Amino acid sequence: AQSVTQLGSHVSVSEGALVLLRCNYSSSVPPYLFWYVQYPNQGLQLLLKYTTGATLVKGINGFEAEFKKSETSFHLTKPSAHMSDAAEYFCAVSLYNQGGKLIFGQGTELSVKP
Amino acid sequence: ETGVTQSPTHLIKTRGQQVTLRCSSQSGHNTVSWYQQALGQGPQFIFQYYREEENGRGNFPPRFSGLQFPNYSSELNVNALELDDSALYLCASSSRTSGGPEYFGPGTRLLVL
């Protein structure tokens, strides 16, 4: 079965510091991997996705993630946190042969201190 | 702007009632999927529709059903509501080849009393 684990339900960083949100997955076939952000009382916004090709994926708002097959990881990073980055972040995996069904992690709440 | 809209935004029902939630997908997207997000949890896949046919279903009972219309809009119906059905229901649209939803709507928050 496929699954996603996000390490750390809550991460706190100072403004300007590096953001690192961890995601590990399990999959028996090459996965498609996604990061979404959710602001309070809103739906999900796609930050970035990996399907095939280059393993370092750049997304919106300065975020990027690297697919590491050997580590089954897809960690999300941003060099310098901004107050507006405070939100809930979800990692998800989709299997190309399952029509786009997403399996989500439990989420990581990011707090940014001034 | 994503273009995925959902209605209503909030809904209160009592146990045993039935509810219909609606979703209009992003223009040009022929695949719509529905997710349930309980408080403090990640979204869980309910089902997906492609060209008006159900195309994948998660671990939800048959009282959760759906429709997709020729214009690719969609409905989620839940019968015999239970207290545990209280959640945020998210609709997402994508193209067939995108590998997963690209655009989510703002959701409908359902409270079952």
Side-chain angles (χ1 to χ4, degrees):
Chain A
Q2 299 74 38
S3 66
V4 175
T5 301
Q6 292 184 238
L7 299 177
S9 59
H10 185 261
V11 170
S12 183
V13 300
S14 298
E15 192 173 19
L18 171 72
V19 175
L20 171 60
L21 304 183
R22 300 178 186 273
C23 173
N24 288 89
Y25 69 91
S26 67
S27 174
S28 57
V29 297
Y32 289 177
L33 295 160
F34 301 76
W35 275 101
Y36 292 90
V37 62
Q38 187 175 35
Y39 297 99
N41 300 314
Q42 295 188 25
L44 302 176
Q45 180 180 14
L46 179 66
L47 281 176
L48 49 80
K49 65 178 180 179
Y50 168 79
T51 53
T52 58
T55 57
L56 181 63
V57 180
K58 294 186 183 299
I60 62 171
N61 301 338
F63 285 94
E64 62 182 36
E66 186 172 10
F67 170 56
K68 293 187 176 180
K69 184 178 178 180
S70 61
E71 299 177 7
T72 62
S73 70
F74 191 57
H75 302 331
L76 182 71
T77 61
K78 181 174 180 177
S80 176
H82 192 273
M83 296 297 291
S84 61
D85 295 327
E88 188 87 18
Y89 291 80
F90 292 96
C91 180
V93 62
S94 166
L95 300 184
Y96 64 87
N97 62 349
Q98 291 195 6
K101 168 187 174 181
L102 288 181
I103 298 170
F104 283 87
Q106 290 296 300
T108 298
E109 183 182 0
L110 175 66
S111 299
V112 182
K113 299 174 292 187
Chain B
E1 187 175 352
T2 65
V4 179
T5 60
Q6 293 185 244
S7 62
T9 57
H10 295 81
L11 203 52
I12 300 175
K13 291 286 189 178
T14 56
R15 195 170 46 184
Q17 285 188 312
Q18 178 267 343
V19 69
T20 297
L21 310 182
R22 295 178 175 83
C23 170
S24 293
S25 59
Q26 175 82 3
S27 177
H29 283 179
N30 54 20
T31 301
V32 64
S33 50
W34 286 90
Y35 291 79
Q36 180 196 66
Q37 186 179 19
L39 201 60
Q41 303 286 322
Q44 291 200 337
F45 176 75
I46 303 174
F47 45 55
Q48 179 175 279
Y49 278 81
Y50 171 66
R51 292 187 176 178
E52 303 176 54
E53 296 285 334
E54 186 178 294
N55 179 33
R57 188 177 185 91
N59 189 27
F60 280 81
R63 60 189 184 84
F64 285 77
S65 63
L67 285 172
Q68 186 182 29
F69 300 100
N71 65 354
Y72 304 137
S73 65
S74 177
E75 287 182 354
L76 164 65
N77 299 289
V78 187
N79 293 322
L81 284 168
E82 300 177 0
L83 298 181
D84 285 348
D85 296 333
S86 296
L88 180 68
Y89 289 84
L90 297 165
C91 169
S93 75
S94 59
S95 61
R96 182 66 169 166
T97 58
S98 65
E102 298 163 319
Y103 301 99
F104 279 80
T108 293
R109 188 163 296 280
L110 173 64
L111 177 61
V112 183
L113 301 176

